[in-house]
Amino acid sequence: MYWIPAGIFSGNPRGVLEDVPDAFYQMGSNPVLIAAVLGNIISIAFFNFAGVSVTKELTATTRMVLDSVRTLVIWLFSLAVGWQDFQYLQPIGFTILVIGMFIYNDLVFLPFARSRGWINDLSAGSFAKDSPDAAVEPM
């Protein structure tokens, strides 16, 4: 990214996507920026530790749901402190994101259809437990 020219879209003196020496110069000139970077590193480390712990104890699906809730909490906080103005497309997009996540993780439509007996999506190699052809499981 240090060598890719970005023209007017770069926002740095060299006109490239990333300018590492300029980033270090800015951090050296502004202790608040160093505190923000260290805070970001600590929060990401904590988030990853919490995510691994949730996945270990519960499921990856639970981790994805909690990740979506984290996005919602950050958005609501930024609205509350005035960092961002409300735009009506944001909750619509978040709702579409959550619905897509629920569909992808098989949490919405298929469990409802299975509970009603509308579908039976056993894989081709498996048998129903009450089938006479069911394989005997070892003890």
Side-chain angles (χ1 to χ4, degrees), residues 19-30 34:
D19 193 355
V20 176
D22 186 46
F24 282 116
Y25 174 77
Q26 289 180 22
M27 286 190 292
S29 301
N30 191 348
I34 292 175

Side-chain angles (χ1 to χ4, degrees), residues 18 28 57 77 108 111 128:
E18 297 288 334
E57 297 297 324
F77 179 79
V108 178

Side-chain angles (χ1 to χ4, degrees), residues 1-138:
M1 300 296 173
Y2 182 75
W3 302 106
I4 299 174
I8 61 171
F9 301 108
S10 71
N12 61 45
R14 289 190 51 240
V16 292
L17 289 177
E18 297 288 334
D19 193 355
V20 176
D22 186 46
F24 282 116
Y25 174 77
Q26 289 180 22
M27 286 190 292
S29 301
N30 191 348
V32 174
L33 191 56
I34 292 175
V37 169
L38 290 176
N40 194 16
I41 290 170
I42 291 168
S43 71
I44 290 172
F46 177 74
F47 172 72
N48 286 333
F49 173 75
V52 168
S53 299
V54 166
T55 305
K56 180 181 173 186
E57 297 297 324
L58 300 171
T59 63
T61 303
T62 306
R63 180 180 181 175
M64 290 183 69
V65 170
L66 291 176
D67 190 31
S68 295
V69 171
R70 176 182 62 106
T71 304
L72 179 65
V73 168
I74 291 170
W75 177 65
L76 291 174
F77 179 79
S78 69
L79 286 175
V81 297
W83 292 345
Q84 189 175 22
D85 294 329
F86 178 80
Q87 297 177 9
Y88 73 93
L89 283 176
Q90 290 174 328
I92 294 171
F94 182 76
T95 303
I96 291 171
L97 171 81
V98 170
I99 289 172
M101 182 190 61
F102 283 169
I103 291 171
Y104 177 78
N105 287 304
D106 195 19
L107 296 175
V108 178
F109 299 114
L110 291 178
F112 178 75
R114 283 186 200 105
S115 68
R116 299 279 189 257
W118 295 342
I119 61 169
N120 183 7
D121 60 352
L122 293 175
S123 63
S126 63
F127 297 99
K129 291 193 183 248
D130 55 355
S131 168
D133 297 327
V136 177
E137 295 186 27

